[in-house]
Amino acid sequence: NAGVMQNPRHLVRRRGQEARLRCSPMKGHSHVYWYRQLPEEGLKFMVYLQKENIIDESGMPKERFSAEFPKEGPSILRIQQVVRGDSAAYFCASSPTRATYEQYFGPGTRLTVT
Amino acid sequence: DQQVKQNSPSLSVQEGRISILNCDYTNSMFDYFLWYKKYPAEGPTFLISISSIKDKNEDGRFTVFLNKSAKHLSLHIVPSQPGDSAVYFCAASVGGSQGNLIFGKGTKLSVKP
């Protein structure tokens, strides 16, 4: 049973470019969460999605960041016009139901903005 | 304001001894607590959890204790093994419609042979 998959594992972008991070949840999981980890910090919640729905985006910056989880295909976290402060590790997690508290994490995408 | 605090950034323990990792929280609405283990360049791996209606949960070498009155939980690893060396994150959740986990900053555990 494949775990949560994220790609790319490493992404380098120049300031002003767009970054697209992909996440495929575990088989049978329909709930996806995105977290960001800055150096020496814990993981910070960004957004919680179900298929075709954003359930909670209270942790998302108001500008430049968006997320989707279409009916078919992976969940996408999109960062437009990246700045150096966006450099971080971005983790995706999934769970089978909302009632399941345990979330299973992917390996992360390390974004570096130069 | 940090709702989940891990006040020890690092802990060093001898192989075979007990490791005790601590976590404090401020939000009395949290009803579920989890511990994750993370190796460098990997995602967090779920380790063990506890509901707020319990005060102890055990799984093999890992035991989590919850003291609701003190808003404190701890993870005990016994006996500690060198492979346990990793960063351990405490996380908490409010039930209902909220799905997000709130994480502490982590404690780096080093188990020396």
Side-chain angles (χ1 to χ4, degrees):
Chain A
N1 184 18
V4 178
M5 298 176 67
Q6 288 188 250
N7 68 81
R9 294 292 308 273
H10 300 274
L11 182 61
V12 179
R13 284 287 178 265
R14 291 199 186 96
R15 279 180 298 171
Q17 290 185 317
E18 178 179 287
R20 281 190 179 225
L21 289 63
R22 293 174 187 78
C23 168
S24 296
M26 285 179 73
K27 188 175 180 181
H29 287 195
S30 58
H31 298 251
V32 166
Y33 315 81
W34 285 92
Y35 293 82
R36 176 165 67 174
Q37 185 184 23
L38 296 170
E40 309 301 323
E41 296 284 323
L43 282 73
K44 295 277 198 267
F45 168 76
M46 298 181 76
V47 63
Y48 164 29
L49 309 106
Q50 280 183 265
K51 287 281 186 183
E52 299 184 281
N53 282 307
I54 296 175
I55 307 300
D56 179 1
E57 56 182 347
S58 59
M60 286 274 271
K62 297 292 180 221
E63 298 176 352
R64 302 188 297 107
F65 285 73
S66 62
E68 62 176 4
F69 189 15
K71 190 176 179 181
E72 301 290 338
S75 175
I76 307 278
L77 179 67
R78 183 180 176 207
I79 311 173
Q80 295 178 291
Q81 299 173 348
V82 295
V83 300
R84 288 224 171 101
D86 297 332
S87 294
Y90 292 83
F91 293 97
C92 167
S94 72
S95 67
T97 68
R98 178 182 292 178
T100 304
Y101 288 89
E102 289 85 2
Q103 298 176 14
Y104 297 88
F105 283 81
T109 294
R110 272 141 193 89
L111 172 66
T112 302
V113 179
T114 61
Chain B
D1 182 33
Q2 260 198 297
Q3 297 185 68
V4 177
K5 298 179 185 178
Q6 293 177 259
N7 291 320
S8 298
S10 62
L11 175 68
S12 185
V13 169
Q14 206 67 33
E15 181 180 6
R17 300 289 188 108
I18 184 170
S19 295
I20 300 177
L21 297 103
N22 293 303
C23 179
D24 297 294
Y25 63 96
T26 57
N27 189 342
S28 57
M29 298 296 291
F30 288 146
D31 64 353
Y32 207 80
F33 303 89
L34 307 91
W35 283 94
Y36 283 84
K37 173 181 175 179
K38 186 180 180 305
Y39 294 116
E42 293 185 13
T45 302
F46 170 71
L47 206 53
I48 192 169
S49 60
I50 188 167
S51 163
S52 61
I53 62 173
K54 295 187 175 181
D55 55 17
K56 177 182 174 182
N57 188 25
E58 193 172 350
D59 184 2
R61 296 186 297 115
F62 303 91
T63 303
V64 56
F65 295 92
L66 175 62
N67 183 335
K68 282 182 66 178
S69 61
K71 293 192 176 69
H72 177 84
L73 64 155
S74 60
L75 174 68
H76 292 210
I77 306 172
V78 57
S80 301
Q81 299 173 355
D84 295 330
S85 297
V87 177
Y88 288 78
F89 290 99
C90 171
S93 179
V94 175
S97 61
Q98 295 190 31
N100 55 300
L101 298 177
I102 297 171
F103 282 82
K105 290 190 176 184
T107 296
K108 185 175 183 179
L109 173 66
S110 299
V111 180
K112 299 184 187 305

